[in-house]
Amino acid sequence: MQETRQHILEILRETTQATVDEIVDELRQRRGDNITAVTVRHHLNILQKSDLITLPKLLHRSSPGRPQHVYELTENAQEHFPNNYQRLAQGLLEQLSAHLPHEGVNVILEGVADDMAQEANITDCPFDERLDKVVNYLNQHGYNATWEKSDQGYILSTHNCPYHEIAQANNRLCEMDMRLISSMLGFVPRLLSRVSDGDMTCAYLIPAVTS
């Protein structure tokens, strides 16, 4: 992300909410330059369009003076801050594997996949529409998914693995993905390629007979 906009997100995270003037003052202290309110508003507009900050809210002063507009972060902005989710997930999976038999770990991961599929709530509908809903759910969870028709039926592809670092060392999460996708499709597809094996995408073939 562009440096000034990242600074603005950091300021809003630290202060919960801030006015344009407050953001300008804080940026000047951090950067040591004379950034203007006009420039800050430009960056705020871009952040709003990206759904990273809220539309300005009117804040009424407790002391004399004109009300001011304040800005806050949206939930989506949290993705732009460092987190330890990958390491936590890896540690949990390692501990599960160390203390439970293979079948026990599979039961837990299958349960996670089933919960996600239930959350997706994809009901009976024409297969093309069902694929659209599957792709939409996967994209909401970071998979960067697409589907296309082929001579053999349909190919569902995910171009990003949300837990790539973990899957490189443990394919159980790949198996969880297969369970999730199968549950949402209502059919077990055939795996064509896998990112953790060095391929560009995870690709799944759904034969035309299923439609």
Side-chain angles (χ1 to χ4, degrees), residues 144-162:
N144 191 14
T146 59
W147 72 267
E148 60 183 342
K149 288 186 177 181
S150 74
D151 294 339
Q152 297 175 285
Y154 304 85
I155 295 178
L156 171 67
S157 301
T158 58
H159 304 268
N160 179 59
C161 178

Side-chain angles (χ1 to χ4, degrees), residues 10-171:
E10 292 169 359
I11 291 167
L12 291 174
R13 191 183 194 192
E14 295 168 7
T15 61
T16 305
Q17 60 181 25
T19 66
V20 171
D21 289 343
E22 289 170 341
I23 294 171
V24 169
D25 289 342
E26 184 63 29
L27 284 173
R28 287 177 176 175
Q29 291 182 35
R30 294 186 181 208
R31 293 153 46 110
D33 60 17
N34 289 319
I35 190 168
T36 66
V38 172
T39 300
V40 167
R41 287 193 177 93
H42 167 73
H43 289 297
L44 289 171
N45 286 334
I46 293 174
L47 291 170
Q48 285 173 10
K49 290 176 181 178
S50 301
D51 193 28
L52 298 179
I53 64 171
T54 61
L55 293 173
K57 300 178 181 179
L58 196 61
L59 177 67
H60 294 279
R61 295 172 178 268
S62 57
S63 56
R66 294 176 59 187
Q68 290 187 300
H69 289 95
V70 296
Y71 298 82
E72 299 176 355
L73 297 179
T74 65
E75 288 294 325
N76 291 338
Q78 300 306 320
E79 298 176 6
H80 292 268
F81 298 103
N83 63 66
N84 200 32
Y85 296 154
Q86 287 272 357
R87 183 63 190 92
L88 173 62
Q90 182 177 352
L92 289 173
L93 187 56
E94 290 172 353
Q95 289 300 312
L96 286 172
S97 299
H99 292 87
L100 292 176
H102 181 84
E103 295 77 9
V105 177
N106 286 346
V107 167
I108 291 173
L109 294 179
E110 288 171 0
V112 172
D114 291 344
D115 285 346
M116 292 176 70
Q118 185 174 3
E119 178 188 52
N121 192 30
I122 299 174
T123 54
D124 290 337
C125 56
F127 200 70
D128 284 13
E129 183 179 339
R130 190 179 191 93
L131 275 169
D132 284 338
K133 292 181 178 180
V134 170
V135 164
N136 182 59
Y137 181 82
L138 291 173
N139 286 340
Q140 290 175 3
H141 293 78
Y143 286 83
N144 191 14
T146 59
W147 72 267
E148 60 183 342
K149 288 186 177 181
S150 74
D151 294 339
Q152 297 175 285
Y154 304 85
I155 295 178
L156 171 67
S157 301
T158 58
H159 304 268
N160 179 59
C161 178
Y163 27 74
H164 178 66
E165 294 178 12
I166 305 172
Q168 288 285 90
N170 194 318
N171 65 5

